[in-house]
């Protein structure tokens, strides 16, 4: 067993953290026939082949819970949106895509522009423990943000018109809109960040290995193929 194998998969199996949602995005996987499918799943499969290691996918309902699992060493590698709070818990390598976060407003809302969303008493919903939720709180100085565990909870609340604003990445909203007739995604964003590879802190050899691998996947077209295969041909690969 090589030193890189030991650094990345100390148990002998590469435990990869995946976030699943009711509809896929360039970050979220979707579960079909009991197995997750999506961009991150394809990238982890490529990493496992490159390493010669068996891959175990560990599925989470949100990136906050994934962060805690990576921080504790319960997963060996993950992809997640970057922010300063998260960087206290895990070590980040490069991003494979850049995302922007904004608000969706439910059917019947009079809001059309992000600049008008920070109104007194505004009620927003975000996914617990996420970079988008933290950024939404910073933006919404005149309102409140309620946390829910997963995207499914958010969709149910949006259908019921249970809040004024729903915070998520723009690419995620694109796949959810067909299930939310009359809803509108506001132009502009309150956050731009990369979805980057991450490993538990204190594993420098593992960090170097995943950094080199992600950069190679961006150069050789693996990331582009994974995005296209999942239906996200309009998403650019991160520089």
């Amino acid at each position: 067993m090589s030193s890189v194998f030991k650094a990345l998969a100390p148990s002998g199996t590469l435990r990869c953290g995946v976030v699943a949602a009711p509809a896929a995005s360039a970050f979220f996987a979707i579960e079909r026939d009991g197995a997750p499918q999506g961009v991150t799943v394809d990238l982890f499969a490529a990493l496992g082949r490159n390493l010669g290691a068996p891959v175990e996918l560990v599925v989470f309902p949100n990136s906050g819970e994934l962060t805690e699992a990576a921080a504790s060493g319960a997963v060996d590698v993950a992809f997640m949106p970057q922010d300063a709070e998260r960087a206290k818990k895990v070590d980040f390598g490069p991003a494979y895509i850049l995302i922007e976060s904004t608000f969706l407003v439910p059917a019947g809302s009079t809001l059309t522009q992000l600049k008008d969303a920070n109104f007194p008493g505004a009620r927003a919903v975000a996914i617990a423990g996420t970079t988008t939720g933290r950024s939404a709180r910073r933006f919404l100085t005149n309102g409140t943000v309620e946390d829910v565990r997963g995207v499914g909870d958010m969709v149910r609340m949006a259908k019921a018109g249970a809040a004024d604003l729903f915070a998520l990445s723009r690419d995620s909203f694109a796949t959810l809109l067909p299930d939310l007739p009359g809803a509108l995604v506001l132009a502009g964003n309150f956050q731009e960040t990369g979805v980057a590879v991450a490993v538990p802190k204190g594993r420098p050899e593992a960090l170097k290995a995943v950094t080199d691998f992600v950069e190679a996947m961006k150069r050789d077209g693996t990331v582009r193929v994974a995005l296209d295969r999942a239906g996200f041909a309009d998403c650019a690969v991160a520089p």
Side-chain angles (χ1 to χ4, degrees):
M1 185 184 295
S2 71
S3 62
V4 172
F5 189 113
K6 289 179 181 178
L8 267 175
S11 69
T13 297
L14 188 65
R15 299 167 301 166
C16 303
V18 175
V19 178
S25 74
F27 169 56
F28 292 136
I30 187 169
E31 294 191 83
R32 289 196 179 101
D33 301 322
Q37 299 176 27
V39 177
T40 60
V41 175
D42 287 354
L43 298 184
F44 286 136
L47 176 58
R49 289 192 299 270
N50 181 270
L51 191 62
V55 170
E56 176 190 353
L57 299 176
V58 186
V59 181
F60 298 87
N62 62 61
S63 58
E65 292 184 30
L66 172 57
T67 302
E68 297 305 320
S72 72
V75 298
D76 302 310
V77 61
F79 289 104
M80 62 185 75
Q82 293 175 282
D83 73 354
E85 191 62 30
R86 225 166 239 168
K88 297 175 184 177
K89 299 181 178 182
V90 297
D91 285 333
F92 281 108
Y96 71 92
I97 56 163
L98 303 177
I99 59 171
E100 61 175 23
S101 297
T102 187
F103 290 120
L104 174 143
V105 294
S109 175
T110 59
L111 292 176
T112 59
Q113 300 184 58
L114 184 67
K115 68 180 181 64
D116 298 322
N118 188 25
F119 61 88
R123 298 168 301 140
V125 173
I127 308 300
T130 60
T131 64
T132 293
R134 287 188 282 273
S135 293
R137 283 183 167 83
R138 289 192 291 270
F139 175 87
L140 208 63
T141 55
N142 293 318
T144 58
V145 179
E146 176 185 350
D147 284 336
V148 294
R149 190 178 184 207
V151 175
D153 301 314
M154 178 179 286
V155 170
R156 285 189 289 274
M157 292 182 72
K159 285 182 175 179
D164 304 304
L165 306 160
F166 297 85
L168 208 60
S169 67
R170 185 174 298 282
D171 65 294
S172 300
F173 282 137
T175 55
L176 295 172
L177 274 174
D179 201 33
L180 294 169
L184 174 72
V185 178
L186 301 182
N189 71 78
F190 54 78
Q191 175 188 250
E192 291 181 295
T193 191
V195 179
V197 68
V199 297
K201 282 192 171 292
R203 298 186 184 180
E205 192 170 1
L207 180 61
K208 182 181 186 308
V210 296
T211 294
D212 292 346
F213 184 71
V214 171
E215 293 293 7
M217 286 197 299
K218 291 194 289 185
R219 288 193 304 270
D220 69 16
T222 301
V223 175
R224 180 72 270 155
V225 169
L227 288 166
D228 292 349
R229 182 170 180 262
F232 298 99
D234 57 340
C235 286
V237 177

